[in-house]
Amino acid sequence: MTHDELERALAELPFRLLRGLGRAIAGPPALRMGKRRLIHTIVAGAEANSARIEATFRTHQAEQGALAAGPAPAGGASSEHKSGNPADLRALLEGIGVPEPRPFVPDDWQVEAVEALERGDVIVSVPTGSGKTYVAVEATRRAMYEDRTVVYTSPLKALSNTKYTEFCKLFGPEFVGIITGDRRDNPTAPILIMTTEILRNLLYDAAGGEIDVRLDTLGLVIIDESQFLADPERGVVWEETIIFCPSQARLLLLSASIGNPHELAAWLTCIRPTPCHLVRHQHRSVPLRAAYLHPNGKLTPLFRTVTMPPSPSQAVLHPEAKRLFTLFEEDTVYARRSG
Ligand SMILES: Nc1ncnc2c1ncn2[C@@H]1O[C@H](COP(=O)(O)OP(=O)(O)OP(=O)(O)O)[C@@H](O)[C@H]1O
Ligand SMILES: [Mg+2]
């Protein structure tokens, strides 16, 4: 067998066998090697270890034969299969689904935010999926009731389109308009959805005396994804929008990821006519579940689940995820180098 043929044959071996062989040839350092380095190490020591290498190929052939002969009896699965314990995956995915319908009751922070808008500007800084839309919709409803116009801005055209559809359903299409780089529908409606750049440009025009839309009756400006204020390139648009926002309008800033909301609230209080109230909490109503999807389609929990026995080394990663990362470590390093 030439070195090239050996390399190709080794690449076909399960990582478990490859690592065992690598360890027999190079000792404990092999345990820290990725697949590519293991193969190089084995090929480099092939002449002196031909018997070991042949034995490993025989083991692999025997395992393949056993697999082809039918499923292993219960408890007899290979260690590779054992480590992807399906019970862990069940624990990871448990509870996902459509919850039982129940009456909608706003959370305390949602009520607090809507009420605080009566007195001044509001920043809502709560995790993703907490229900910031409710605050925006309820505040819009109140502004409409007082015959004030509302502008809802988002950083993306796609998000603006989604909000437009959502608000049309809630308030009726005759009351909702959209202005983005691509669309301009019903631009004199009392509720206008637009990208933040468009609002900034409207405010520029208004500053020059050319009022395009109903900014004179503007009662509420909702700035979704307001963490963009910190964006090195686009942040200035958010900053100018806030600075030029008419004094009679209330500002509602929504975000799941502002690092320094207190500082932002203090700044708004400083530059705006009314004090800014901060509504903040970190409770996730939808917990995050981290998993790793292997290219072979196998889903593995990324972190150890509570149902697993405690790890003596206090490891955080799931052993199967760790095994897969080790397997691809070298490829990642190579890809980074060549990239
Ligand atoms: N008080 C509540 N009780 C139960 N469900 C709620 C409550 N408020 C909102 N929801 C539901 O939570 C889900 C997420 O809400 P929403 O889209 O407003 O989150 P968000 O905070 O805007 O998230 P994102 O950061 O992803 O924009 C929606 O299905 C919404 O109906
Ligand atoms: Mg949202």
Side-chain angles (χ1 to χ4, degrees), residues 102 104-107 109-110 126-134 163 224-225 255-256 285:
R102 58 190 162 116
F104 181 85
V105 181
D107 291 346
W109 68 267
Q110 290 171 316
V126 296
T128 296
S130 298
K132 293 184 280 297
T133 309
Y134 169 84
K163 280 294 159 195
D224 205 352
E225 310 293 345
S255 178
S285 28

Side-chain angles (χ1 to χ4, degrees), residues 17-28 30-31 42 49 52 56:
L17 291 181
L18 201 62
R19 191 160 57 178
L21 186 56
R23 187 178 184 188
I25 293 174
L31 297 179
I42 296 165
N49 294 279
R52 274 200 182 104
T56 304

Side-chain angles (χ1 to χ4, degrees), residues 15-279:
F15 188 69
R16 168 179 47 88
L17 291 181
L18 201 62
R19 191 160 57 178
L21 186 56
R23 187 178 184 188
I25 293 174
L31 297 179
R32 304 195 65 79
M33 290 181 192
K35 185 173 179 176
R36 205 180 289 251
R37 247 176 78 203
L38 273 174
I39 292 175
H40 285 168
T41 307
I42 296 165
V43 171
E47 272 75 36
N49 294 279
S50 55
R52 274 200 182 104
I53 295 172
E54 276 163 27
T56 304
F57 282 127
R58 274 200 300 277
T59 306
H60 180 48
Q61 269 165 5
E63 283 181 7
Q64 295 287 97
L67 269 180
S78 72
S79 62
E80 239 179 322
H81 287 97
K82 258 191 224 161
S83 54
N85 184 357
D88 288 331
L89 208 50
R90 256 200 297 280
L92 176 82
L93 302 177
E94 199 179 335
I96 290 182
V98 180
E100 287 294 310
R102 58 190 162 116
F104 181 85
V105 181
D107 291 346
D108 290 348
W109 68 267
Q110 290 171 316
V111 176
E112 180 191 337
V114 174
E115 286 178 354
L117 271 171
E118 307 278 338
R119 301 183 293 277
D121 300 333
V122 172
I123 296 175
V124 174
S125 174
V126 296
T128 296
S130 298
K132 293 184 280 297
T133 309
Y134 169 84
V135 179
V137 169
E138 208 45 40
T140 302
R141 217 185 288 283
R142 291 189 183 203
M144 291 275 287
Y145 189 71
E146 291 168 10
D147 211 16
R148 313 294 290 175
T149 55
V150 177
V151 168
Y152 188 114
T153 79
S154 86
L156 305 168
K157 288 177 197 166
L159 200 56
S160 299
N161 285 332
T162 309
K163 280 294 159 195
Y164 174 61
T165 311
E166 203 178 322
F167 274 54
C168 280
K169 275 193 200 136
L170 285 168
F171 295 98
E174 67 276 29
F175 293 108
V176 189
I178 182 165
I179 313 176
T180 65
D182 298 337
R183 275 180 93 174
R184 191 179 171 90
D185 292 342
N186 203 7
T188 52
I191 305 172
L192 283 176
I193 316 292
M194 55 183 79
T195 49
T196 317
E197 272 82 359
I198 296 277
L199 176 59
R200 192 272 308 264
N201 295 348
L202 288 177
L203 293 172
Y204 269 173
D205 290 349
E210 294 173 33
I211 298 177
D212 189 10
V213 290
R214 296 172 56 190
L215 294 180
D216 52 334
T217 57
L218 193 59
L220 175 66
V221 173
I222 302 164
I223 303 186
D224 205 352
E225 310 293 345
S226 49
Q227 73 279 1
F228 267 76
L229 194 59
D231 187 89
E233 281 172 20
R234 295 177 69 192
V236 63
V237 175
W238 272 253
E239 201 174 339
E240 288 176 351
T241 303
I242 291 169
I243 292 170
F244 288 130
C245 183
S247 55
Q248 89 277 358
R250 293 277 191 262
L251 266 177
L252 172 59
L253 270 60
L254 305 175
S255 178
S257 53
I258 302 179
N260 56 344
H262 287 104
E263 281 176 44
L264 189 55
W267 177 60
L268 281 179
T269 300
C270 209
I271 62 160
R272 302 268 304 153
T274 51
C276 177
H277 181 73
L278 172 62
V279 176

